[in-house]
Amino acid sequence: MAERVTATEDALALIDTLKEKHGALMFHQSGGCCDGSSPMCYPEGDLMVGAQDIKLGEIAGVPFYIHKKQFEYWKHTQLIIDVVDGRGGMFSLEGVEGKRFLTRSRAFTKEENDELNKPKV
């Protein structure tokens, strides 16, 4: 089955480092404002997830959420979380590591879209 969110090997390695330092984590795909549209990594529970947030899946055992309105823009794509050198969002945990998470994407195939949108029984 197609996954709505995945991560590169570099991102997985950074997530493991952050888990060792901070314990349980969570991600939220930012919709803009101060930090732009980027995946934000927090200690689990530091960001209140609301009724308007959708859990896309997990990467490295870490839950990944997105706001329902933003999901409407991205629902036809797989989010691929990557990491690059540089400073990203000032609220996201990876900033002190000299790295920032980055969302890449690819369009789902017709077959993947059909599978993902099939009613759950």
Side-chain angles (χ1 to χ4, degrees):
M1 179 168 180
E3 296 178 84
R4 291 202 177 271
V5 62
T6 64
T8 65
E9 290 298 319
D10 288 343
L12 294 172
L14 181 56
I15 291 167
D16 285 343
T17 297
L18 294 174
K19 281 198 242 180
E20 289 173 17
K21 291 182 177 185
H22 302 281
L25 305 172
M26 64 181 291
F27 276 94
H28 192 279
Q29 177 66 43
S30 170
C33 186
C34 308
D35 290 316
S37 181
S38 61
M40 304 293 286
C41 183
Y42 303 101
E44 189 173 58
D46 269 19
L47 178 72
M48 297 273 302
V49 176
Q52 297 295 311
D53 293 306
I54 296 169
K55 183 179 178 185
L56 283 187
E58 294 186 358
I59 50 176
V62 176
F64 193 101
Y65 298 91
I66 190 170
H67 190 278
K68 157 167 103 170
K69 284 186 179 180
Q70 188 161 8
F71 173 73
E72 286 303 311
Y73 294 114
W74 294 75
K75 68 184 176 185
H76 66 284
T77 63
Q78 181 180 58
L79 302 187
I80 305 159
I81 306 308
D82 200 358
V83 64
V84 294
D85 291 332
R87 297 292 301 219
M90 63 184 182
F91 302 114
S92 195
L93 289 175
E94 78 280 2
V96 297
E97 305 295 326
K99 306 277 185 189
R100 68 182 182 96
F101 288 111
L102 174 76
T103 300
R104 301 184 190 282
S105 64
R106 71 163 185 91
F108 285 121
T109 65
K110 180 187 179 323
E111 293 77 21
E112 288 171 324
N113 263 319
D114 289 348
E115 180 183 330
L116 287 166
N117 295 313
K118 196 183 309 181
K120 307 250 190 285
V121 183

